[in-house]
Amino acid sequence: MTSPHGTAQVVVAGGGPVGLMAACELALGGVQAVVLERLAQPTGQSRALGLHSRTVEVFEQRGLLDKIEHQAPVWPKGHFAGLRKVDLTKLAGKHTYALMVPQSRTEELLAQRAVELGVEIRRGHEVTALEQHPDGVTVTVRTDDGHYRQPAHYLIGCDGGSSTVRKLTGVDFPGTASTVNAVLGDVQILGERPQARELLRLPGGLFGMIPLGGDRYRIVAVEFDAEPVARHIPLTVPELRETAHRVSGTWLEIGESYWLSRFGDASRQAAAYRVGRVLLAGDAAHIHFPAGGQGLNTGLQDALNLGWKLAATVRGTAPDGLLDTYHTERHPVGHRVCMNTRAQLSLMHPSERITPLRDMFSELLDLPQVNTYIAEMITGLDVRYPMPGIPRHPLVGARLPALLIHTPDGPISTPQLLRQADALLLDLTDSGAPGDLAKPWHDSVRHIPARLDAQEETTGLAAALVRPDGYVAWATADATDTQGLTTALSTWFTPDATSIPDATSIPGATSTDEQEGTR
């Protein structure tokens, strides 16, 4: 049967953090998404535990940080290849730390936000087939009550490493198969509790115990050069205990178990993040060994990058080629994560042949420049998108830093300005020349005349064009120099307001007043 709900603007397959983040970004862009989640209820499993600096910035930018960081332990150090020497406090910016937040909590808060924004979340709805045609996509959805067909203008696959959407679309997923046998469990530890918060490199493999509060710990054990047990075979507490003993030599007294799982070191990346009207994000686009806690964070950044571009495309306000830049910008980032996680696992191999290389790398991490390089890599702070044809400036392609500015309406921080997920022209000049040049884009870009707070230290900023995801598309240090601004405006936004259809005429779109009422 055809969906009684009619045609959706965007269907998001997968209701985990990445799918929910994508739906929130679409809603902020004036486009309604329907989230189809296979599971009838959230699992409540902790899964990914860390939110890196870049993700913390994004949650502040969207007004979610206060809830996310409430009672969340702060990690001032990160690890690379199990070496907990990566000093996050030396990073540039406001959030020089990571937060220990269970994935279940992140998912819960994003689901709440999605509902506030009017996103429809259908749990117990699984995508089983799809048909793509020039005007949209139709997915077949299975529920306990049977099947139905859901048409949509676009489909985003956020349905994990075994993504049904990716497979149905026929996207290649090249890479390397798993060569390790790895298990983890969030369990109650009774009796003696060895302290091994880091992943210890031992003759038997890798072993770690991460305290989760009270007597609850995450146990991780990795055996190298071992035949991986098939992922579909359930992990048991006895097997977890025995594997941990083989690796560490320690017998754990385990009480209650909360989550048991297998994982491996398969490293794969989708050949294309977009095929027509189907897009991939998160684990559906890239999988890797969970070293450095990068997977969830990379997926959330995928959603941030994709959301505003797809929203503009659906609204009919996107310049030609905008949606293709999602793959152009995010595929290299995913490739780099796959690269560095494979490098980390190589350095963690228990072979004595690796020990000298690991020792040398440990010494290199003591060098401030190397430490910062690694810290920026695993946190995503080193991501800088190419901006062809734009004059060089330290901020071009990077995220706009948190700045305190004074506007005619009073003082405000730049993260607060980005809360509405619209594009900004931050104009710190006295002449207002950038604003005059951008007048043809007034429907797409919000002009913010302002001055920097006297205490702010900058790299020399007179004006900046900031995309809805917070990345700088153009910047200048010279108040009289607007070279490249028109190019940047034309690249990312549609200039002629008369050619832009009224968003309320698009089926399912919300009016501006309705959007404001949900923010």
Side-chain angles (χ1 to χ4, degrees), residues 47-226:
R47 296 183 179 268
L49 289 175
L51 298 179
H52 280 306
S53 302
R54 176 107 306 164
T55 304
V56 174
E57 288 178 2
V58 169
F59 282 138
E60 180 186 30
Q61 170 184 309
R62 295 298 187 249
L64 296 170
L65 183 57
D66 288 347
K67 293 181 179 179
I68 287 285
E69 69 178 354
H70 180 62
Q71 295 183 335
V74 173
W75 287 348
K77 287 188 177 293
H79 66 81
F80 190 89
L83 299 167
R84 190 168 287 278
K85 301 177 73 171
V86 180
D87 191 352
L88 304 179
T89 66
K90 296 297 195 299
L91 292 170
K94 179 180 178 182
H95 303 291
T96 56
Y97 55 84
L99 291 176
M100 182 178 172
V101 182
Q103 180 174 321
S104 55
R105 178 60 176 158
T106 303
E107 184 177 321
E108 176 187 11
L109 291 174
L110 286 173
Q112 291 174 359
R113 180 59 171 154
V115 171
E116 291 172 2
L117 292 169
V119 174
E120 180 184 359
I121 303 173
R122 302 178 195 165
R123 299 194 181 275
H125 291 238
E126 180 181 8
V127 173
T128 60
L130 69 84
E131 302 168 10
Q132 188 168 182
H133 43 87
D135 297 325
V137 181
T138 299
V139 296
T140 300
V141 185
R142 179 169 56 207
T143 73
D144 287 343
D145 298 324
H147 293 75
Y148 67 90
R149 289 165 58 82
Q150 175 63 66
H153 297 309
Y154 286 88
L155 168 66
I156 308 177
C158 303
D159 49 344
S162 300
S163 172
T164 298
V165 171
R166 186 187 66 241
K167 293 172 182 176
L168 292 172
T169 308
V171 176
D172 288 340
F173 202 42
T176 59
S178 183
T179 62
V180 302
N181 182 47
V183 297
L184 68 80
D186 290 352
V187 298
Q188 178 189 32
I189 297 296
L190 307 174
E192 183 180 358
R193 298 164 190 163
Q195 295 301 311
R197 180 171 175 174
E198 295 83 2
L199 272 179
L200 299 179
R201 178 175 174 261
L202 304 170
L206 302 176
F207 174 73
M209 291 182 64
I210 301 174
L212 302 177
D215 56 5
R216 184 180 295 197
Y217 285 75
R218 170 164 294 181
I219 307 302
V220 180
V222 180
E223 297 177 293
F224 286 77
D225 305 321

Side-chain angles (χ1 to χ4, degrees), residues 54 305 328-330 332-333 336 376 380-387 391-399 459 467 471-472 475:
R54 176 107 306 164
N305 186 284
T328 302
E329 293 186 339
R330 294 305 298 172
V333 175
R336 189 167 171 78
E376 290 181 343
L381 292 180
D382 67 345
V383 172
R384 183 182 294 269
Y385 297 132
M387 299 289 170
R392 293 182 63 85
H393 182 279
L395 290 180
V396 170
R399 273 184 57 84
T459 56
R467 306 187 321 188
Y471 282 81
V472 177

